[in-house]
Amino acid sequence: MALAHSNIALAKYWGKRDAELNLPDVPSLSMTLAALSTRTRVQFDPSLEADQIVLNGSVADASTTKKVSAVLDRVRGAAAIASRARVESMNDFPTASGLASSASGFAALALASSAAAGLDWSSARLSGLARASSVSAARSIFGGFAYIEAGAISAAPLDVSPLARDLAMVIAVTDAGPKPVGSTSAMLHTQATSPYYQGFRDRAPAIYEEVRAALLSGDLARLGDAMEHSALAMHAAMLAARPSLIYWNPATLAVIHGVRELRARGTFAHFTIDAGPHVKVLCQTGDAARIRSVLAELPGVQRVIVSGPGAAARLLPSHEFVAPAPSQGSRGAS
Ligand code: PMV
């Protein structure tokens, strides 16, 4: 059984250099989150006629089954085994809610399925396997902070400064509204129709370098500024797509303004937003509880999760396949 944490990009990936191979068009850099994790158990069984996929206690739909079987096929090919597999997976947070379940999901699946097939793969190779399904999943193989270069086949860990190790993410879960458009179709649509995609793509490497340099030197003000610029440039490209991709709802904007007010009063707090309506706020661990209370009061905020940096994806004994109870405090889900 494998456990992998989700991650949130500080420098965003949006756009594919090669859609078939699923190679990223821009470099990205993320923080792995302790509070959001997926546990996945894989058993290859010669008596099965087809792969059986159960997610959070329910049989997976056809499109998810296809994506999971594609990972299993790669593992079967490498291990020279023909058996179908039974896959059970549990998230300790709401699935497909825009909280990056594909990142932790495909990272846990890559590790659990390769181990079940007897393959003892390096982190880089596991990251490449996860990346073929989801670029963000390539980063979830690693703990702390991780990056993946444009066109790269796998991610790598980034050893950050002591100041950056004290960072936390406060996640404001806002009204879900209609189900968001999935990241793959949304980014291909942005690439195909947005006149601003090229602007995002041209600018992304410099923003990524700025985020990376700021993390390494512990320059929090520069980090926060570059991180917000990355997210807003990505959303600006989506807004200009035809038809437009608008992931924000009124609560998303309320949190953005709430974060700006916190900052105006001297708190280090900077937001990022993915392909969904939730707002993730980067802050220092000591400020997380206070920021959480402020965001929880904003209209439309349903729940606030606080997380510190998470560990790398890892194998666990099979009997630990139970969704963990949410823990309290600034380093756990709440
Ligand atoms: O790799 P995917 O399909 O999970 O897409 C991730 C896209 C963003 O979350 C918006 C950005 C990122 O770098 O994680």
Side-chain angles (χ1 to χ4, degrees), residues 7-9 11-14 16 22 28-30 100 102-103 133-137 139 183-184 187 234 238 273-275:
N7 71 74
I8 299 297
K12 298 297 189 194
Y13 147 64
W14 196 253
K16 296 181 193 290
N22 204 36
S28 59
L29 194 161
S30 59
S102 77
S133 302
S134 155
V135 169
S136 63
R139 302 185 309 241
S183 57
T184 294
M187 63 181 85
M234 178 183 82
M238 295 188 216
I273 306 166
D274 293 297

Side-chain angles (χ1 to χ4, degrees), residues 2 11 25 30 41 50 100 104 134 152 168 172 180 195 212 236 238 243 256 262 268 275 285-286 297 299 328:
D25 208 17
S30 59
R41 184 158 63 179
S104 53
S134 155
R212 188 183 167 110
M238 295 188 216
I256 288 174
L262 278 162
F268 171 73
T285 306
E297 293 305 316
Q328 294 300 314

Side-chain angles (χ1 to χ4, degrees), residues 71-318:
V71 178
L72 297 171
D73 285 343
R74 290 193 177 90
V75 169
R76 280 189 278 256
I81 54 175
S83 304
R84 303 295 101 184
R86 187 174 299 107
V87 177
E88 297 158 280
S89 192
M90 295 280 265
N91 291 334
D92 63 359
F93 59 96
T95 305
S97 60
L99 289 178
S101 56
S102 77
S104 53
F106 283 109
L109 179 64
L111 179 55
S113 57
S114 56
L119 300 168
D120 182 17
W121 279 1
S122 66
S123 297
R125 200 148 180 206
L126 289 168
S127 177
L129 175 62
R131 192 267 316 139
S133 302
S134 155
V135 169
S136 63
R139 302 185 309 241
S140 268
I141 293 294
F142 302 98
F145 294 82
Y147 65 95
I148 178 164
E149 300 284 358
I153 57 167
S154 59
L158 186 74
D159 189 10
V160 303
S161 71
L163 196 55
R165 277 187 213 114
D166 184 37
L167 293 172
M169 198 71 85
V170 181
I171 302 165
V173 179
T174 67
D175 290 321
K179 193 174 161 25
V181 183
S183 57
T184 294
S185 56
M187 63 181 85
L188 293 177
H189 176 66
T190 310
Q191 280 181 271
T193 68
S194 174
Y196 297 162
Y197 178 72
Q198 197 58 39
F200 168 76
R201 183 188 187 276
D202 292 347
R203 190 86 189 96
I207 302 173
Y208 160 80
E209 288 300 343
E210 212 180 329
V211 166
R212 188 183 167 110
L215 265 174
L216 290 172
S217 65
D219 184 343
L220 295 186
R222 189 172 176 216
L223 170 65
D225 188 59
M227 163 192 154
E228 277 188 8
H229 182 49
S230 174
L232 291 171
M234 178 183 82
H235 282 273
M238 295 188 216
L239 286 172
R242 277 183 97 164
S244 184
L245 286 161
I246 305 178
Y247 282 105
W248 301 3
N249 61 29
T252 312
L253 272 170
V255 178
I256 288 174
H257 289 294
V259 169
R260 289 184 154 198
E261 270 173 41
L262 278 162
R263 206 150 70 217
R265 282 187 262 120
T267 305
F268 171 73
H270 293 262
F271 63 84
T272 187
I273 306 166
D274 293 297
H278 316 302
V279 185
K280 292 103 182 193
V281 181
L282 188 72
C283 64
Q284 290 188 277
T285 306
D287 294 330
R290 187 168 51 87
I291 293 174
R292 182 191 173 190
S293 328
V294 170
L295 301 188
E297 293 305 316
L298 295 174
V301 173
Q302 294 181 333
R303 183 178 171 213
V304 185
I305 299 168
V306 177
S307 182
R314 54 207 179 268
L315 291 169
L316 293 175
S318 252

